């Protein structure tokens, strides 16, 4: 045997039965997005590196150290595996002029790539589900976005997720705050770590996003952006809060919430849990009215969020959510391989009617002349499959145009003979 090849560090295989939870989550999201009239968008996983450098900002964790970037082997073009999807969606919207007839509401799901230190809730390939509303300037859309995420937690049965809100104001307000921030951090320069020192003049707001525990006290004492907001920004923020309050969505204003990307302005928010250790943010987003212009489009407002699928599913499990039942309705037991062509006809009919059918098949290394295995071994497989019923295609019954339907779950093993030609009549019994 050759040496085994294993998956890349921080990149996970998604296997059954765990994958059933993923499919369930995805179908819940699809249904909910339809209820909010958001439409699906799928953009490439590889984008020009410049899109992220321009879109996310040069002095961000992602662009500085987390991107998987490479050169196209033919033309040397600088490419990057997407670390997030907002920039790609915006690129697509601009490229296809999607806002020509008004705003668009869209959502996506898919893998993202960031070169981080792998740990619980933090991977190098991870998955996001995100929603974006482009072309709408009003605070009501910020609120709609938050209500959408909140409705998803409700639908999933997720509990104890808290909402934190902040407003980053507009560029002029941020410029004033920035000056005050630089002054403050310069006064405490000896307490800054290397990252912060480097960011002090390039992007001091980013320092507030530090994960370094040694800097928390310093950051807490820093001038707050909220104090620099003018009446319009404050009114926008208030309108968002009014809608949330009227809809019973609790929140806390966190003046230090700044988010990891440069593109945000006005409303920003995060949904956070205490049940996942330090990787507690399950969803984050906000308004990004200047990104579309940054990526070469006509200035247009936008707002969006993205959730981490791994973290949401981990939290659901933590809270004891049952895994979806993916066991088959029936297991087909076939004593004599000669009968297979006929058996298949019945199974195909059942599947057309929506019955979940698992057919017995022997596993292992092939041995010539091997049959399908003893009845005993087939029944054992039927039991472990979790099926509620067995269909037994015995030679004698088949000759009479019948088969045996046996219950595997009622303890008594009740069984009846049913007619091969009357599948429609007994198929319903199998699904209950
Ligand atoms: P964090 O502060 O945890 O690094 P972030 O601010 O970088 O998060 P965003 O870019 O806002 O995260 O992405 C939105 C969501 O995607 C996060 O709230 C999180 O749930 C998830 N996420 C981000 N990075 C990872 C990762 N490396 N592995 C798993 N999930 C992630
Ligand atoms: Mg991060």
């Amino acid at each position: 045997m050759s040496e085994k090849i294993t998956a890349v560090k921080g990149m996970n295989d998604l296997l059954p039965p765990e994958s059933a939870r993923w499919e369930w989550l995805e179908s819940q999201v699809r249904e909910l997005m339809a209820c909010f009239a958001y439409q699906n968008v799928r953009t490439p996983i590889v984008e020009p590196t410049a899109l992220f450098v321009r879109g996310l900002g040069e002095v961000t964790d992602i662009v500085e150290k987390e991107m998987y970037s490479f050169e196209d082997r033919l033309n040397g073009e600088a490419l990057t595996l997407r670390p997030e999807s907002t920039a790609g969606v915006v690129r697509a919207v601009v490229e296809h002029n999607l806002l020509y007839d008004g705003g668009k509401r869209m959502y996506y799901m898919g893998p993202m790539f960031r070169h981080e230190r792998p740990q619980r809730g933090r991977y190098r390939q991870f998955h996001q589900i995100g929603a974006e509303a482009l072309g709408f300037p009003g605070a009501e859309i910020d609120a709609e976005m938050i209500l959408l995420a909140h409705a998803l937690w409700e639908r999933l049965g997720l509990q104890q997720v808290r909402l934190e809100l902040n407003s980053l104001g507009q560029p002029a307000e941020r410029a004033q705050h920035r000056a005050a921030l630089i002054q403050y951090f310069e006064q405490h320069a000896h307490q800054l770590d290397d990252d912060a020192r480097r960011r002090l003049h390039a992007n001091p707001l980013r320092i507030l996003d530090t994960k370094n525990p040694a800097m928390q006290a310093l950051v807490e004492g820093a001038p707050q952006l909220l104090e620099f907001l003018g009446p319009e920004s404050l009114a926008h923020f208030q309108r968002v809060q009014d809608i949330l309050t009227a809809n019973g969505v609790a929140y806390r204003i966190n003046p230090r919430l700044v988010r990891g990307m440069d593109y945000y302005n006005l409303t920003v928010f995060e949904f956070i849990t205490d049940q996942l250790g330090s990787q507690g943010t399950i969803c984050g987003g906000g308004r990004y009215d200047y990104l579309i212009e940054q990526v070469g489009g006509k200035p247009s407002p936008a707002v969006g969020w993205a959730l981490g699928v791994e973290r949401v599913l981990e939290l659901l499990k933590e809270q004891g959510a049952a895994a979806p039942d993916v066991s088959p309705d029936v297991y087909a037991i076939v004593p004599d391989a000669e009968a297979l062509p006929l058996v298949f006809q019945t199974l195909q009919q059942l599947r057309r009617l929506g019955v979940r059918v698992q057919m017995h098949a022997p596993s292992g290394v092939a041995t010539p002349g091997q049959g399908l295995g003893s009845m005993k071994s087939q029944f054992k497989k039927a039991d472990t499959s979790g099926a509620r019923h067995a269909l037994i295609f015995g030679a004698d019954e088949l000759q009479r145009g019948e088969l045996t339907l046996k219950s595997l779950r009622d303890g008594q093993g009740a069984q009846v003979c049913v007619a091969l030609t009357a599948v429609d009549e007994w198929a319903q019994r199998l699904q209950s």
Side-chain angles (χ1 to χ4, degrees), residues 403-421:
L403 70 148
T404 303
L405 197 168
K406 182 176 159 75
S407 172
L408 294 176
R409 293 262 187 102
D410 72 353
Q412 348 267 292
Q415 57 182 62
V416 286
C417 275
V418 292
L420 273 176
T421 49

Side-chain angles (χ1 to χ4, degrees), residues 66 114 116 122 211:
E66 295 176 358
R114 296 185 192 177
E116 305 199 64
R122 194 176 291 288
K211 297 203 167 73

Side-chain angles (χ1 to χ4, degrees), residues 110-419:
M112 309 295 156
F113 302 84
R114 296 185 192 177
H115 209 286
E116 305 199 64
R117 193 169 66 78
Q119 53 198 290
R120 184 189 187 197
R122 194 176 291 288
Y123 311 100
R124 291 181 174 172
Q125 174 173 336
F126 64 101
H127 297 76
Q128 286 185 339
I129 292 172
E132 317 281 1
L134 303 108
F136 304 103
E140 64 279 5
I141 301 295
D142 307 29
E144 175 180 284
M145 274 282 160
I146 295 171
L147 290 173
L148 169 60
H150 187 265
L152 183 60
W153 316 143
E154 240 174 41
R155 198 182 175 102
L156 300 177
L158 212 55
Q159 280 151 27
Q160 296 184 46
V161 181
R162 63 173 195 275
L163 169 61
E164 293 196 351
L165 279 187
N166 192 19
S167 175
L168 300 182
Q170 298 291 15
E173 294 156 350
R174 273 158 83 159
Q176 285 186 349
H177 171 248
R178 181 192 150 100
L181 209 53
I182 293 180
Q183 198 183 18
Y184 170 81
F185 283 127
E186 271 176 344
Q187 280 164 1
H188 302 82
H190 57 286
Q191 294 178 49
L192 298 178
D193 63 13
D194 288 349
D195 257 356
R197 217 163 289 140
R198 207 161 25 82
R199 288 171 176 185
L200 179 55
H201 293 277
N203 195 343
L205 197 64
R206 268 293 69 72
I207 299 177
L208 301 180
D209 199 26
T210 180
K211 297 203 167 73
N212 182 354
M215 293 213 345
Q216 292 311 316
L218 179 66
V219 158
E220 287 194 22
Q224 296 188 351
L225 183 41
L226 277 178
E227 291 157 15
F228 292 79
L229 299 194
E232 274 186 34
S233 294
L234 286 173
H236 185 103
F237 196 32
Q238 190 57 51
R239 280 198 295 276
V240 177
Q241 294 175 54
D242 290 345
I243 295 175
L244 296 180
T245 304
N247 285 276
V249 176
Y251 59 87
R252 186 179 80 89
I253 292 176
N254 174 1
R256 284 191 313 283
L257 181 65
V258 295
R259 310 274 309 125
M261 287 69 131
D262 279 357
Y263 51 57
Y264 291 110
N265 67 306
L266 291 175
T267 321
V268 290
F269 54 90
E270 286 187 351
F271 287 93
I272 304 168
T273 169
D274 295 322
Q275 295 175 293
L276 291 179
S278 50
Q279 267 60 254
T281 304
I282 59 168
C283 176
R287 186 160 272 286
Y288 52 94
D289 293 334
Y290 302 94
L291 178 61
I292 299 183
E293 193 176 359
Q294 194 102 6
V295 174
K298 260 203 343 245
S300 316
V303 50
W305 54 248
L307 67 80
V309 177
E310 284 84 355
R311 292 186 195 179
V312 167
L313 287 174
E314 184 73 23
L315 184 57
L316 272 169
K317 268 168 80 171
E318 192 72 33
Q319 296 181 352
D325 183 8
V326 292
S327 48
D329 297 314
V330 300
Y331 193 95
I333 290 176
V334 189
D336 181 2
E338 296 280 311
L340 281 174
L342 187 64
V343 169
F344 266 97
Q345 288 177 18
T346 307
L347 302 189
Q348 289 298 84
Q349 254 179 296
L350 286 169
R351 288 165 176 151
R352 269 181 224 119
L353 295 169
V355 180
R356 302 173 179 195
V357 180
Q358 181 171 343
M359 199 194 71
H360 176 76
S363 45
V365 181
T367 35
Q370 159 196 34
L372 298 178
S374 69
M375 288 284 272
K376 191 169 164 220
S377 69
Q378 294 198 32
F379 266 111
K380 225 165 133 185
K381 285 270 173 62
D383 275 332
T384 52
S385 77
R388 280 168 292 277
H389 299 91
L391 293 182
I392 307 151
F393 292 85
D396 294 347
E397 292 113 303
L398 286 180
Q399 278 214 318
R400 296 197 304 270
E402 292 181 336
L403 70 148
T404 303
L405 197 168
K406 182 176 159 75
S407 172
L408 294 176
R409 293 262 187 102
D410 72 353
Q412 348 267 292
Q415 57 182 62
V416 286
C417 275
V418 292

